[in-house]
């Protein structure tokens, strides 16, 4: 079964735009779980422009589905996740001022660093997922670094899906996914996945463990409503 983890960063962005607690990030996360989400994803950044440290602490107390925390493994980030102990930490190579993730790790150049971080997570009982481009080499070296899973950065797939066609767009991702399976790694995917392109990705790579989706899902919810939107995304990964 492929699980849907709903990224609620955009809910926090909307809240922060006006101050106060509307919309309520914790309530929305619990509503997502009630509406069928298999997990909740957050990406606390150093400037707290959306998810705040306190949100992470508050969410950990109440979530019943898998909690996935994304971020660059700075000392502050690692202190937070080692204290909270979510089910999964997804390591991303983002700079502090980056608007959103736009590439995966160079797992060759960062091999020793990622190995140390993966070891620390696994010793704490946390699943370590490394965010990588659709490159068999980067996947193999993520396995060597001690990852439990890789998350494929799917923006290139989404961007090429309409312009080049689904088969061409998905080809490098299938190659990377096969490498992950051969290396014994679990497989996640995320970034720019939508109701347009998700079902084909799942059909081509049926052993996907998890998709993490935020921006497109929240945009769709403006028109369809949150419960209907979660249901439609779940249908794509059956």
């Amino acid at each position: 079964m492929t699980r849907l983890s709903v990224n609620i960063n955009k809910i926090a962005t909307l809240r922060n735009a006006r101050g106060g607690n509307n919309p309520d990030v914790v309530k929305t996360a619990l509503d997502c779980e009630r509406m069928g989400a298999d997990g909740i994803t957050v990406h606390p950044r150093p400037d707290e422009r959306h998810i705040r440290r306190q949100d992470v602490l508050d969410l950990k107390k109440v979530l019943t589905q898998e909690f996935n925390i994304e971020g660059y493994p700075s000392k502050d980030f690692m202190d937070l996740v080692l204290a909270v102990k979510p089910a999964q930490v997804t390591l991303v190579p983002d700079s502090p001022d980056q608007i959103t993730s736009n590439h995966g790790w160079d797992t060759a150049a960062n091999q020793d660093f990622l190995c140390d971080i993966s070891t620390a997570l696994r010793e704490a009982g946390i699943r370590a997922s490394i965010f990588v481009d659709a490159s068999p080499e980067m996947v193999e070296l993520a396995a060597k670094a001690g990852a439990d899973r890789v998350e494929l950065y799917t923006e290139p797939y989404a961007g090429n899906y309409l312009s080049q066609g689904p088969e061409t767009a998905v080809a490098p991702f299938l190659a990377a996914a096969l490498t992950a399976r051969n290396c014994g790694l679990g497989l996640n995917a995320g970034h720019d996945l939508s109701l347009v392109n998700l079902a084909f990705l799942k059909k081509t790579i049926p052993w996907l463990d998890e998709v993490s989706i935020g921006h497109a899902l929240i945009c769709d919810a403006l028109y369809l409503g949150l419960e209907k939107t979660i249901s439609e995304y779940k249908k794509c990964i059956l």
Side-chain angles (χ1 to χ4, degrees), residues 11-178:
I11 302 300
T13 300
L14 184 59
R15 175 200 61 189
N16 295 354
R18 286 287 296 269
N21 194 38
N22 188 25
D24 185 321
V25 168
V26 173
K27 181 180 183 301
T28 302
L30 291 174
D31 286 340
C32 288
E33 288 188 332
R34 176 177 56 81
M35 295 169 184
D38 304 302
I40 299 296
T41 292
V42 297
H43 187 152
R45 293 180 181 274
D47 60 7
E48 295 194 323
R49 63 178 178 266
H50 36 66
I51 291 294
R52 299 167 180 158
R53 179 184 179 90
Q54 189 60 49
D55 294 327
V56 175
L57 300 174
D58 292 342
L59 286 164
K60 174 59 178 178
K61 296 174 186 176
V62 298
L63 294 179
T64 58
Q65 299 294 331
E66 280 204 354
F67 193 18
N68 172 45
I69 304 178
E70 301 177 342
Y72 178 83
S74 64
K75 182 181 184 305
D76 287 346
F77 178 84
M78 291 299 294
D79 287 346
L80 177 62
V81 298
L82 291 174
V84 170
K85 290 186 169 59
Q88 177 175 269
V89 167
T90 300
L91 304 172
V92 297
D94 293 3
S95 62
D97 59 347
Q98 203 163 315
I99 294 175
T100 188
S101 302
N102 61 14
H103 63 282
W105 284 96
D106 181 337
T107 50
N110 295 281
Q111 178 70 202
D112 291 344
F113 175 65
L114 291 171
C115 185
D116 290 345
I117 296 297
S118 296
T119 298
L121 292 173
R122 296 179 74 176
E123 288 178 350
I126 302 167
R127 182 193 307 133
S129 178
I130 296 180
F131 193 67
V132 294
D133 296 321
S135 160
E137 179 188 5
M138 293 298 105
V139 170
E140 287 178 355
L141 289 171
K144 184 178 177 182
D148 299 295
R149 292 186 184 179
V150 289
E151 179 173 324
L152 299 180
Y153 168 55
T154 48
E155 190 279 332
Y157 164 71
N160 293 331
Y161 183 88
L162 295 178
S163 63
Q164 298 184 15
E167 291 81 7
T168 299
V170 83
F173 292 86
L174 176 57
L178 288 167

Side-chain angles (χ1 to χ4, degrees), residues 6-11 13 100 191-194 212-222 229 233:
V6 175
N7 186 317
I8 59 170
N9 285 359
K10 288 297 184 292
I11 302 300
T13 300
T100 188
H191 211 88
D192 281 4
L193 296 175
S194 71
S212 175
I213 305 175
H215 184 79
L217 189 150
I218 299 304
C219 289
D220 289 331
L222 294 174
T229 299
Y233 274 87

